[in-house]
Amino acid sequence: MLSSHRDTQTILHGLAVILIFAGILLHPAASRAQEFVVEGKRVAEILIVGNKEIANESIMGVIQLEPGAEFTLEKMEADKNRIMQMGYFFDVQDKSDATQRGTIVTFTVFENPKVVSIDLRGCESIPAKELLLLMKTKPGDVLNSSIVQKDMDTIRDFYKKKGFIAEVEDVDIQEGGVLRVQLREAIIESIRFPKHKGKKDERYGLFKTREYVIRREMTIKPGDKFNSKKVARDLNAIFNLGLSEDLRYELKQGNEPGNVIVDIIIKEKKTGTAAVGMGFSSRSEIVGFLDLNEANFKGRAESLSLRGEAGDRESFEVSYAKPWLDTKRTAMSVSLYNRLIYREPRGFLRFAPTTTATTTFEERRKGGRIGLSRPFKKDRRNSIGVQVRNEEVSMIQTDATTLQRIKSDFGRIMGVALSAARDTRDIRFDPSSGGRDAITME
């Protein structure tokens, strides 16, 4: 019995050794057979599994493999990626089965949920209903990630067109099919006026002008939503002060996400002029003149001018203008003068008995005037004004007889003028758009 038991163990041990060697010998062949079956054969059939809303025809339309074509794993993987790029699925799985009639390729797709509603958040500058009209994604559609991405690009471009900056922080499909889009609109963190003390052509910053003079012209403030169109209008208002020769702005990333810093780069220009001269008039007399002008007096954008003549024509005029008299942007201008003006007859006066082509008149005006104006709308394009003047006027014909001189006109003028104006010019000194209309009654 013992001998028989040992013989049985010996036989079993031998069979095990034979099976091990057989497995080693057959394994490479089996692998090669599998490779031969999967790759190198023709495609017998393509199956789409798991789709409910997206039709087979739509999926088959992006697949390049077709029955009868040579099958490779690379081609199957490429088709899997094409199905994913359709945007309707959050996952796609592929599988190939070798059969006697060829390879059967199966793509199992997992559809995105249906969009029941769209919830736009963070859109404060532009109404949500206006943005929803721009989106191709609509309630009732199967969520398509590619279309949603294009929708987000469209929203960003629309914000840019309106002058705003907006970024999409998050896009997520909630339970119940709610597509939630979180937007973040850029906020002005601060407004700065950097200085650069370089060469004459490279120097910029506020060296003479006081900073509040520039800030009061600006409608944008820290904490506001950034809008490039408002910034452009503010830059035009600053340039219209006549204090700069170059002006632009730069955006910098703020300290907080979504914030921007607006740097106003301003290059000041010379605002003071002086002219002194001497010569001979047509009456063969020496004439001297002095002309002083300052358009940025004490850096406050106030203008001060002095003009005077001595000799044959003695006259002077002192003017002062203040653009901001109060918080409502009331502007004031004051002038004191004693002017002498030489005039020639015009119109019907040329045919008067005592006048000829060479007749001249001396017109002298002594007095002053004060004017006030104020915009009555926030855009500052519409304004009203009042001006009062009080002056003594004399008109003398220089080549007349003594009796005619006595009869010349003398008198006092006191006048009040009311005016209304609308100014839509972008830049007053060199406008490229807009115009100015005004009406005055005195």
Side-chain angles (χ1 to χ4, degrees):
M1 293 294 294
L2 182 60
S3 176
S4 176
H5 180 69
R6 289 178 178 175
D7 293 341
T8 302
Q9 286 183 338
T10 302
I11 294 171
L12 292 175
H13 180 71
L15 289 173
V17 172
I18 293 172
L19 290 174
I20 290 172
F21 276 99
I24 293 174
L25 294 174
L26 291 175
H27 181 70
S31 299
R32 288 192 298 271
Q34 179 67 16
E35 290 179 4
F36 175 77
V37 171
V38 175
E39 293 196 49
K41 280 198 171 185
R42 300 290 174 178
V43 176
E45 187 178 4
I46 298 176
L47 301 178
I48 307 296
V49 180
N51 55 316
K52 297 179 181 179
E53 300 293 335
I54 309 303
N56 279 10
E57 292 76 8
S58 298
I59 301 174
M60 293 297 294
V62 302
I63 294 176
Q64 293 188 356
L65 279 175
E66 58 183 10
E70 182 181 0
F71 173 82
T72 65
L73 293 174
E74 288 78 9
K75 291 180 179 180
M76 183 176 66
E77 184 67 21
D79 280 342
K80 172 186 174 181
N81 293 332
R82 292 187 184 95
I83 296 174
M84 279 295 297
Q85 290 171 4
M86 292 179 69
Y88 290 110
F89 313 105
F90 64 87
D91 191 19
V92 176
Q93 298 178 0
D94 56 355
K95 185 181 69 168
S96 61
D97 295 309
T99 66
Q100 292 183 351
R101 59 191 183 93
T103 301
I104 298 176
V105 179
T106 303
F107 293 104
T108 303
V109 297
F110 299 87
E111 289 182 348
N112 292 329
K114 270 190 176 184
V115 177
V116 176
S117 62
I118 302 175
D119 180 19
L120 291 178
R121 298 188 174 189
C123 46
E124 299 177 4
S125 302
I126 300 177
K129 61 181 181 180
E130 193 172 348
L131 298 177
L132 289 173
L133 293 175
L134 301 173
M135 296 179 64
K136 301 294 185 182
T137 302
K138 304 295 182 183
D141 296 344
V142 175
L143 179 68
N144 187 307
S145 58
S146 298
I147 295 177
V148 170
Q149 181 60 49
K150 293 178 181 178
D151 286 340
M152 299 304 103
D153 293 338
T154 300
I155 289 175
R156 277 190 288 263
D157 292 342
F158 188 72
Y159 264 92
K160 185 177 180 180
K161 182 179 178 181
K162 295 291 186 179
F164 298 99
I165 298 176
E167 293 297 331
V168 180
E169 281 190 317
D170 188 35
V171 180
D172 190 21
I173 187 75
Q174 305 289 317
E175 291 185 7
V178 178
L179 178 62
R180 181 171 295 170
V181 180
Q182 183 66 47
L183 301 175
R184 184 182 64 213
E185 297 176 349
I187 297 175
I188 299 176
E189 184 174 295
S190 63
I191 301 173
R192 306 182 304 191
F193 301 89
K195 288 184 178 181
H196 178 69
K197 296 181 180 180
K199 296 180 181 179
K200 184 177 180 180
D201 295 338
E202 300 175 353
R203 176 176 171 172
Y204 60 82
L206 298 177
F207 294 93
K208 180 179 180 181
T209 308
R210 304 194 182 192
E211 189 173 305
Y212 76 86
V213 171
I214 305 300
R215 288 190 181 274
R216 69 188 181 187
E217 297 291 334
M218 305 181 69
T219 59
I220 61 170
K221 307 294 181 185
D224 293 348
K225 303 290 185 180
F226 173 82
N227 187 287
S228 61
K229 294 184 178 181
K230 289 184 178 180
V231 175
R233 286 196 294 267
D234 285 350
L235 291 185
N236 287 342
I238 296 171
F239 197 79
N240 284 334
L241 292 174
L243 309 179
S244 60
E245 63 181 56
D246 188 20
L247 187 64
R248 68 183 190 277
Y249 77 94
E250 296 177 354
L251 287 183
K252 302 292 178 62
Q253 181 65 46
N255 297 321
E256 298 294 331
N259 290 359
V260 295
I261 297 174
V262 182
D263 283 347
I264 306 297
I265 311 300
I266 181 170
K267 187 176 183 180
E268 293 179 314
K269 71 177 184 180
K270 293 182 179 180
T271 56
T273 59
V276 180
M278 182 176 294
F280 290 92
S281 71
S282 59
R283 302 161 69 92
S284 299
E285 295 187 19
I286 296 177
V287 177
F289 70 90
L290 173 67
D291 194 347
L292 302 175
N293 293 278
E294 174 55 64
N296 192 14
F297 184 61
K298 293 185 176 181
R300 298 172 179 172
E302 301 170 3
S303 62
L304 181 64
S305 64
L306 171 62
R307 296 178 178 88
E309 295 184 34
D312 180 36
R313 181 185 304 179
E314 294 185 354
S315 64
F316 75 89
E317 180 175 1
V318 179
S319 300
Y320 171 76
K322 188 178 181 68
W324 282 73
L325 195 61
D326 55 18
T327 57
K328 294 185 178 180
R329 196 184 167 87
T330 302
M332 179 189 70
S333 62
V334 180
S335 295
L336 297 175
Y337 48 85
N338 182 353
R339 297 195 299 258
L340 179 63
I341 306 169
Y342 291 115
R343 297 190 183 277
E344 296 177 355
R346 293 288 185 268
F348 70 91
L349 289 177
R350 297 197 62 176
F351 302 99
T354 61
T355 62
T356 65
T358 59
T359 299
T360 58
F361 294 85
E362 288 184 355
E363 177 185 326
R364 182 170 292 278
R365 293 177 177 267
K366 299 179 182 180
R369 69 180 63 198
I370 180 171
L372 299 171
S373 64
R374 173 185 292 179
F376 61 90
K377 285 191 176 181
K378 291 183 178 180
D379 61 4
R380 303 178 185 175
R381 295 182 175 183
N382 302 279
S383 62
I384 55 175
V386 59
Q387 182 174 270
V388 179
R389 67 182 173 123
N390 185 358
E391 58 189 18
E392 292 181 357
V393 181
S394 63
M395 180 79 75
I396 300 175
Q397 184 176 334
T398 57
D399 61 347
T401 64
T402 304
L403 180 60
Q404 289 172 330
R405 285 174 177 265
I406 294 174
K407 292 181 180 180
S408 296
D409 291 333
F410 293 86
R412 177 179 295 277
I413 294 178
M414 297 183 67
V416 177
L418 301 176
S419 63
R422 175 172 175 79
D423 193 344
T424 59
R425 294 172 296 175
D426 52 355
I427 300 176
R428 295 173 186 172
F429 310 106
D430 187 17
S432 60
S433 65
R436 185 179 187 274
D437 303 306
I439 182 171
T440 302
M441 179 180 67
E442 184 177 21

